[in-house]
Every structure is written in C-alpha cells, then in structure tokens.
Amino acid sequence: MSTPHNSAEIGDIAERVLLPGDPLRAKFIAENFLTNVKQYNSIRNIFGFTGKYKGVPVSIQSTGIGIPSFSVYVHELIHVYGAKKLIRTGTCGGMHDSLKLRDVLIAQGSSTDSSIVHQTFGGAINFSLLADFDLLSKAVNNAKKLNIPVKVGNVICTDTFYNDYSDANGTFTSNGLTLDEKMIRYGILAVEMESAALYLLAAAAQVQALAIFTVSDHIIRKEHATAEEREKDFSDMIKIALDTVVEE
Ligand code: HPA
C-alpha cells in the first residue's frame, strides 16, 4: 500500500530512518554512506531511499521545509510504514553566542511558536517536547567516540523562516528585551523549523525520535557557512546520526 505522498510499499522503508529536509541531501547521504541502496519514492521529488549502514537497514526520507510538510511524511513513516527510530538531520540558525558556524547541536527539547501543541492538548497544557533520552545519550556517546564536539539544549522551532519577531520588541516581552533576546536569555540555542513536530508525533505514537543539526547560519551575528563548509560538517552530523540510529 502506498500513500498520496509516498510510493513505497509496506516493507520498503526501514524501522530506522534519517530525516533531512532537502531531497538532494537525502540522495547524497544514501549514495555516500549506505550500501545496497534502493530509491522508493520520487513523488514531488521528495526522495526516499533504503539501504544498509553497518549491515543494518536504514532509510533516508526527505521531508521538505517546515512543520506541515515534515508532518505529512513523518506521520506516514510511523503509522503506515512502521518507523520506530527517527532522527532528523538538518541545519539550524544559531542564536546563542556560544554557538559557532558548523557546530553540531542536538535538541534536548523543542520550544515552538506553532499551534500544534495547542491543537493536541487544548489550552490547558504546555506539553514539553523532548528528545528520546535513549537516542540522545547514544548520540552524545557516539559523538565522543567520533571526536566530534556537540552542544545539547533547547531550540525554538518556528512556523516562519522570515518573521517580525525582532520588530515586535516590547509588545512581546515585559522587560524591554526583544523576543529573540529573551529566548536566548532563557537558554534557547538555535532556531529551526521541524523538531517540535518530530517530538510531538513521536510522543503520540510512542516511538523514538531525536533532532540533530549543523549550525549553518548565526542569525544574531548574521554569519552564513559557505557551501563547502556545509558539506563537510554535514557529514559529521550524519555519522553521529547513523551510528545512533543503528545502535541496539
Ligand atoms: N531559521 C530557521 N531555520 C533555519 C535557519 C534559520 O535562520 N537556518 C537554518 N535553518
């Protein structure tokens, strides 16, 4: 059985899945890190591949940008295809001063301006969106073994790439800080656009999920990694994600 968005048959997709946003990144990961690769989806050019990593079946499913697109693919991966361990491998915009371009960041928690939590629980509960602790601790250990430094903490998952937060200053905060400044003071490390959906969908279905990022931009210092830099450090993140997703 396929879906309107995914032509894979049941059994074509592994229980262990990496989730890059960009379809060409999915192709790059499949071609450079997996063996026995088979492409199972090209609907909308949102490519998906299954292969083996260290002998274990792994799929690489691209998701597009943002919570709505991401949620379509991840919902189907979990509920139609039986995915059990899902690791998002994406980029993020650094906010905290401690982050440098090309750092690898693991989202221990995901704060969000999206309405998805409210849609799920109503106004009564501000549900905490958390990484799966088993995957999180394995990822930190695997990064150590690979000698790749990682930062771990809270991120803000936004519905807009372009927003007016910084213009909204005092109307958003009580103490004269811009909303960005306030988030940073409360320990938000970076901004991205999918982790909240991943952690919510995983919690609802009781499967394991983790989001790992490479810092591609610093939105406060207005820095941007070059294409070459993105490529190399993207590979560091993929090694951590693959070692973690196949670990028993
Ligand atoms: N904003 C949101 N998501 C991102 C960014 C950003 O600046 N950079 C990489 N992913």
Side-chain angles (χ1 to χ4, degrees), residues 91-93 158 161 191-193 216-217 219:
T91 57
C92 67
T158 62
F161 185 87
V191 56
E192 54 79 47
M193 299 181 68
S216 59
D217 311 274
I219 66 160

Side-chain angles (χ1 to χ4, degrees), residues 182-204:
K182 191 160 197 177
M183 286 193 281
I184 293 164
R185 181 168 294 184
Y186 277 66
I188 296 281
L189 299 175
V191 56
E192 54 79 47
M193 299 181 68
E194 294 84 13
S195 62
L198 177 60
Y199 290 176
L200 187 65
L201 288 167

Side-chain angles (χ1 to χ4, degrees), residues 65 88 90-95 156 158 160-163 190-194 213-219 224 230:
I65 293 177
R88 162 140 173 84
T91 57
C92 67
M95 293 173 65
I156 176 73
T158 62
T160 47
F161 185 87
Y162 302 104
N163 62 56
V191 56
E192 54 79 47
M193 299 181 68
E194 294 84 13
F213 308 99
T214 303
V215 179
S216 59
D217 311 274
H218 198 289
I219 66 160
H224 307 281
R230 282 172 202 241

